[in-house]
Amino acid sequence: MYTEKVMDHFMNPRNVGEIENPSGVGEVGNAKCGDIMRIYLEVEDNIIKDIKFKTFGCGAAIATSSMATEMVKGKTIEEALQLTNKAVAEALGGLPPAKMHCSNLAADALHKAIEDYKNKQKQKEQEQNK
Amino acid sequence: MRRVYLDHSATTPVRPEVVQLVNKYLTETFGNPSSVHAFGREARKGVETAREQIAALIKAKPEEIFFTSGGTEADNMAIVGTAMANQTKGKHIITTQIEHHAVLDTCKSLIKQGFEVTFLPVNPDATIDLELLKSSIRDDTILITMMHVNNEVGTILPIKEVGQIAKEKGIIFHVDAVQSFGKLPIDVNEMNIDLLSASGHKIYALKGTGCLYIRKGTKIAPLFFGGSQERKRRPGTENVPGIVAFGLAAHLAGQEMEAEAERLTKLRDKLIDGILEKIPNVQLNGHRTNRLPGHVNVSIRYIEGESLLLMLDMKGIAASSGSACTSGSLDPSHVLLAMGIPHEIAHGSLRMTLGKGTTEEDVDYVLEVLPEIVEKLRSMSPLYNSMKLENNEECSKCTQKR
């Protein structure tokens, strides 16, 4: 039911882990639904220098997390914001229809992490202005 | 790669003796049992032998066995057939919250037709409260339908006690024995069972064959019309190869039952004890001892069932889970939820059901591979780390208090 690419990213996930003192963290889903994705960012000069994820969920949830991190690593914040859940699924050669909604949330988690990064930046600027 | 099949509650391979017999009935003895000629008579003989073999296994009379297309049809026939034939007496049915969907959904379909159904809650180990059952019985209760063994967690339900209660109240008692038939002793008289569903492919026979035992004198309406087969209760040309396969498999299951139950219980307990010992934060689902030989169901916390199944599959191990991804809905298994298991723990359930081909080496292999897979998935899980931290915090608090 899963493509070879999905199975590859599931069995050998890229960028698993956490980042200490991350520039931003984003999380979507909840344990009750059976899916949680958490993405950690390290941003330098507006570029995603490092990205890590931790995911509780099915094969599709883990594979999309892995693929999403791979797709935006080294990209600018603006480029990363362009990433959609649909694009992640397409890069994996597609997902079973039932998985398109419940497990394909990696881009959302990424966007939340970027939002967190931007909020932190604003806070820093405000503190500096004081 | 080693291949270990641990999904015998889903289906089983057809045993060689049965394959041989089926082959004969596909090629030589292919006649229609309703035909007058020798081809037909030989096929008829095969069907009637199977009926005797199945009846013998549950201490019934051969004429009380009616062949169906499987367990689901037998459940439908028992419940809808009883409801239709007895609705002038009453329109209330009692069942449990942990039945197979073949029973649950059939009962729900009757609600739409004006019947009332009580779905009894269960204890955390999937057993039922007999007092609650007694208090649920009404004057208009016409049927109690209950499984013998729960397919997901393996707990054995107190069928004999329920049968006694049903008999005293004059209520028809149907048992869905799909998981227990051929594996546990069943005596329809001693257990006061009026209707009983069984399936062939769970006991090393073919898919697409099952039967309903109907105690003589039980009022039941047919679901199908169109011929005189199965004494008009289940018309349609008999699935002769499937029926003879079911009969032989039932006969052999009866002969081997005691020894096989003992063997599987040992392997099951080794697997359960090994998992609980080697993997932290794991719970057994279902009753510890009062469970089907060869049935294991555990919840492994902080990981999700489907990803666990996929990784086991990559190591050649076939199992199943009650997670939402595998239940075909957004919620995890209705059985685990009815037992009061929280969603997040139900998502991490793993069912391994052992069978004829399972060896001790297979169990050892699972005990070697499973902890590694769990560790790998937990290392990816955001829940696991935060739990570790919480535990550490708790521990440090404890130390501080001391």
Side-chain angles (χ1 to χ4, degrees):
Chain A
M1 71 174 197
Y2 286 134
T3 64
E4 259 178 53
K5 233 174 184 167
V6 171
M7 285 310 289
D8 176 38
H9 275 265
F10 170 68
M11 291 305 289
N12 312 292
R14 285 63 147 173
N15 307 310
V16 179
E18 292 171 33
I19 294 174
E20 265 184 58
N21 306 316
S23 315
V25 182
E27 184 177 302
V28 292
N30 66 61
K32 204 182 163 208
C33 299
D35 279 310
I36 299 180
M37 294 181 193
R38 191 185 294 160
I39 283 182
Y40 300 83
L41 293 178
E42 187 191 326
V43 183
E44 219 179 280
D45 301 331
N46 201 44
I47 285 171
I48 297 176
K49 277 207 70 180
D50 199 8
I51 179 165
K52 298 271 188 216
F53 81 88
K54 284 233 162 168
T55 291
F56 162 81
C58 65
I62 290 171
T64 51
S65 306
S66 167
M67 178 53 95
T69 58
E70 202 176 59
M71 287 171 89
V72 299
K73 197 170 175 179
K75 296 278 165 65
T76 64
I77 290 295
E78 288 72 28
E79 284 168 334
L81 279 171
Q82 299 293 315
L83 187 76
T84 60
N85 291 331
K86 200 169 157 240
V88 175
E90 277 166 10
L92 285 165
L95 288 173
K99 300 284 182 183
M100 284 304 282
H101 294 290
C102 63
S103 311
N104 186 18
L105 303 166
D108 297 347
L110 171 72
H111 296 163
K112 274 202 169 176
I114 292 175
E115 202 180 296
D116 182 49
Y117 160 70
K118 285 184 169 173
N119 286 339
K120 280 181 180 164
Q121 288 298 103
K122 266 185 210 160
Q123 275 180 0
K124 270 187 199 166
E125 279 168 26
Q126 282 168 355
E127 277 163 24
Q128 279 168 0
N129 289 342
K130 276 175 197 170
Chain B
M1 186 176 57
R2 196 184 181 97
R3 293 187 82 194
V4 178
Y5 183 78
L6 293 180
D7 206 8
H8 289 84
S9 282
T11 194
T12 58
V14 180
R15 54 190 300 169
E17 307 93 316
V18 171
V19 172
Q20 216 180 351
L21 185 69
V22 168
N23 205 15
K24 180 173 172 277
Y25 277 82
L26 288 172
T27 53
E28 288 169 43
T29 321
F30 62 86
N32 185 326
S34 299
S35 300
V36 176
H37 47 64
F39 293 87
R41 290 198 307 272
E42 285 160 13
R44 165 63 53 206
K45 207 178 154 200
V47 169
E48 296 316 316
T49 302
R51 206 185 301 280
E52 285 164 20
Q53 289 169 321
I54 287 166
L57 191 57
I58 57 172
K59 311 270 164 60
K61 298 185 193 88
E63 62 269 27
E64 294 174 316
I65 303 298
F66 296 82
F67 290 110
T68 67
S69 65
T72 297
E73 188 194 323
D75 285 339
N76 271 266
M77 188 172 162
I79 296 165
V80 177
T82 300
M84 292 306 133
N86 296 276
Q87 54 186 322
T88 50
K89 275 165 81 182
K91 287 194 151 191
H92 181 235
I93 294 168
I94 298 175
T95 186
T96 77
Q97 292 180 358
I98 60 165
E99 297 302 310
H100 189 277
H101 282 110
V103 167
L104 278 187
D105 290 355
T106 305
C107 286
K108 284 177 190 165
S109 81
L110 286 173
I111 294 174
K112 287 186 194 140
Q113 295 181 49
F115 286 82
E116 283 180 72
V117 182
T118 300
F119 297 92
L120 291 176
V122 297
N123 299 321
D125 57 4
T127 54
I128 61 154
D129 180 350
L130 290 171
E131 290 308 313
L132 191 64
L133 168 69
K134 279 186 199 165
S135 65
S136 304
I137 294 172
R138 313 188 323 206
D139 291 341
D140 62 342
T141 305
I142 52 169
L143 173 70
I144 298 173
T145 170
M146 193 176 289
M147 59 194 354
H148 189 186
V149 167
N150 182 269
N151 52 312
E152 290 191 34
V153 298
T155 298
I156 302 170
L157 277 77
I159 291 308
K160 194 179 169 187
E161 288 79 359
V162 175
Q164 187 60 38
I165 294 167
K167 191 190 175 190
E168 280 165 18
K169 300 277 181 182
I171 299 166
I172 295 172
F173 181 35
H174 167 242
V175 174
D176 173 0
V178 166
Q179 291 295 337
S180 63
F181 180 81
K183 296 171 192 163
L184 296 176
I186 296 173
D187 182 329
V188 290
N189 297 311
E190 200 184 288
M191 292 168 152
N192 290 301
I193 297 168
D194 299 308
L195 303 162
L196 180 138
S197 309
S199 168
H201 75 106
K202 310 287 190 192
I203 59 163
Y204 312 96
L206 306 187
K207 293 165 187 69
T209 324
C211 73
L212 181 66
Y213 153 79
I214 306 175
R215 177 180 293 281
K216 209 178 167 209
T218 308
K219 268 177 80 182
I220 187 164
L223 300 184
F224 295 177
F225 302 90
S228 59
Q229 292 92 348
E230 300 300 285
R231 297 161 68 211
K232 285 198 169 180
R233 280 185 161 157
R234 208 291 189 175
T237 299
E238 297 87 341
N239 169 9
V240 180
I243 288 170
V244 296
F246 190 18
L248 179 59
H251 174 67
L252 295 171
Q255 284 184 339
E256 298 163 2
M257 191 187 290
E258 220 181 302
E260 184 65 355
E262 198 186 317
R263 190 184 78 87
L264 287 177
T265 301
K266 270 187 200 154
L267 290 180
R268 172 196 79 188
D269 289 344
K270 180 173 182 178
L271 186 54
I272 292 174
D273 293 341
I275 291 172
L276 295 179
E277 189 191 303
K278 289 190 169 192
I279 308 174
N281 299 306
V282 172
Q283 68 179 56
L284 178 74
N285 295 322
H287 198 280
R288 178 66 187 85
T289 51
N290 192 27
R291 64 188 301 126
L292 191 69
H295 197 300
V296 177
N297 187 315
V298 290
S299 274
I300 302 177
R301 294 191 70 164
Y302 319 125
I303 59 179
E304 192 276 337
E306 192 213 69
S307 48
L308 187 58
L309 294 188
L310 288 172
M311 286 213 174
L312 284 168
D313 189 40
M314 298 303 280
K315 294 278 185 186
I317 299 168
S320 70
S321 167
S323 81
C325 283
T326 52
S327 74
S329 73
L330 286 175
D331 278 323
S333 139
H334 68 283
V335 175
L336 299 174
L337 294 182
M339 290 159 68
I341 296 172
H343 276 70
E344 56 270 32
I345 297 177
H347 283 302
S349 77
L350 174 67
R351 181 183 78 168
M352 291 181 281
T353 43
L354 289 54
K356 269 180 74 62
T358 312
T359 63
E360 187 156 8
E361 287 73 37
D362 291 336
V363 171
D364 290 338
Y365 178 64
V366 173
L367 288 175
E368 178 195 317
V369 168
L370 183 62
E372 292 166 13
I373 290 176
V374 169
E375 190 48 44
K376 184 175 176 186
L377 285 169
R378 280 182 173 169
S379 74
M380 282 188 228
S381 168
L383 297 174
Y384 190 49
N385 251 352
S386 51
M387 267 317 290
K388 265 187 179 165
L389 287 175
E390 275 172 36
N391 282 343
N392 284 345
E393 275 167 23
E394 270 174 27
C395 289
S396 59
K397 274 179 206 160
C398 295
T399 333
Q400 276 169 6
K401 272 182 195 166
R402 274 180 210 156

